[in-house]
Each structure stands twice: as structure tokens, then as C-alpha cells.
Amino acid sequence: MKHNVIETVMGFVVLTIAGFFLAFAYKSSQLDTTDGYSLTAKFDRIDGVQAGSDIRLSGVAIGRVQSVEIDPETYQAILTLDIEHRIKLPKDSSAEIISGGLLGSKYIALVPGGDDEFLKAGEEITYTQASVSLEAMIGQVIFSKKDKEEEPKK
């Protein structure tokens, strides 16, 4: 009988600790998006950005990308952004896709504008800058150097 009580108490302790870990993981993953509001933004290219990517303002994470869709008429990517309620963005704010480093993941950087009116839930950030392709930039540097070498010297 004494053996069963110890096993029961230990089982309860293990389940309690597992519950704390699950609660911590849920809170850390920021899956709980009930305290934010949604905005949309359209981009020509979003290479590397996906649902769950960070949204940053002045380098500080203030939200996550909720969903990624394609507009069948304009062929632009439509991102739904979940922003913290305490952050109010002016209507002329812009969004750009930035790389977190040479091999880092990409995120959405918000640049606040100077308008007196603020964006409301469901509205669109109209000023966007698409992702810059690192491969295209490297190719441009290589081919521009090659073109300069082929020019006849005067």
C-alpha cells in the first residue's frame, strides 16, 4: 500500500511539471493571438517570409505573420499581420521584408509614418517593399564585373 501512494504522488508531480512545460511552450510560441489586431500588406515577392515570421518595429518583435495568400488577379502575395494592440501605426506607415543576416531568416520590418490618423483592424498597409533576392544581387555583381573586363581599353 505504501508503494502505491509513492508512485501516485510521483505521477502527480511528473504530470504537474509537464503541464508547466506545456503552458510555457504555448506562451513562448506566441500562438495566442487574442491580444492583437490584424492588418494586411501586399508584396511583389516575399522570399523567405511565411506564417509565423516576426514583425518588428525598430528591431523589436511586435507581432507575427498570420497567413500568406496569393491574389489571383494581381499575382501579389497578401500577408495578414497580427500586431500587438498597444502599437498604433500611422496610416502612411510602410512594411518591408528584411533579412536577419546573411543566412538568417527574413522578417517584416515596419517603418512608422507621420500621419495623424492610425490604421484600424482589417486595413491595409499600402506602402511595401518586396524582398531583395541575394542571388540576383550576386549575379548582378559578377556579370557587371565581367562586362567591365570585356570593354576595350582606350
Side-chain angles (χ1 to χ4, degrees), residues 49-55 63-68 79-81 108:
V49 174
Q50 55 197 4
S53 293
D54 276 349
I55 301 168
R64 299 246 180 226
V65 175
Q66 276 184 341
S67 66
V68 177
L79 301 182
T80 304
L81 314 175
I108 305 294

Side-chain angles (χ1 to χ4, degrees), residues 143-154:
F143 290 119
S144 69
K145 195 174 259 190
K146 186 177 180 184
D147 290 342
K148 285 181 182 178
E149 290 174 359
E150 292 177 359
E151 288 181 7
K153 295 184 180 180
K154 295 180 183 180

Side-chain angles (χ1 to χ4, degrees), residues 4 18 21 23 34 37 54 56 58-62 65 72 76 81 91 96 99 102 109 115 119 128 150:
N4 288 340
F21 278 118
T34 57
Y37 64 99
D54 276 349
R56 298 182 189 177
S58 300
V60 178
I62 61 160
V65 175
Q76 288 184 309
L81 314 175
K91 283 195 178 261
E96 53 188 83
S99 179
L102 190 58
D115 202 331
L119 289 167
T128 60
E150 292 177 359

Side-chain angles (χ1 to χ4, degrees), residues 8-154:
T8 303
V9 170
M10 288 303 292
F12 178 74
V13 168
V14 168
L15 288 176
T16 303
I17 291 172
F20 281 120
F21 278 118
L22 286 173
F24 176 73
Y26 179 74
K27 202 66 170 164
S28 297
S29 69
Q30 296 182 356
L31 290 175
D32 183 16
T33 59
T34 57
D35 61 344
Y37 64 99
S38 294
L39 298 173
T40 59
K42 293 181 180 179
F43 292 90
D44 292 331
R45 21 179 341 118
I46 60 163
D47 300 331
V49 174
Q50 55 197 4
S53 293
D54 276 349
I55 301 168
R56 298 182 189 177
L57 179 67
S58 300
V60 178
I62 61 160
R64 299 246 180 226
V65 175
Q66 276 184 341
S67 66
V68 177
E69 299 173 16
I70 189 82
D71 184 342
E73 294 176 11
T74 64
Y75 303 110
Q76 288 184 309
I78 303 171
L79 301 182
T80 304
L81 314 175
D82 184 47
I83 310 292
E84 292 179 12
H85 263 299
R86 62 187 179 92
I87 306 298
K88 303 295 182 206
L89 293 170
K91 283 195 178 261
D92 61 343
S93 296
S94 64
E96 53 188 83
I97 298 174
I98 304 290
S99 179
L102 190 58
L103 299 175
S105 62
K106 297 202 177 181
Y107 62 90
I108 305 294
L110 297 178
V111 180
D115 202 331
D116 292 335
E117 293 185 43
F118 295 102
L119 289 167
K120 295 178 180 69
E123 290 188 331
E124 180 180 344
I125 299 173
T126 54
Y127 304 108
T128 60
Q129 182 177 344
S131 174
V132 177
S133 172
L134 183 63
E135 295 85 5
M137 285 190 339
I138 291 172
Q140 189 176 21
V141 168
I142 291 172
F143 290 119
S144 69
K145 195 174 259 190
K146 186 177 180 184
D147 290 342
K148 285 181 182 178
E149 290 174 359
E150 292 177 359
E151 288 181 7
K153 295 184 180 180
K154 295 180 183 180

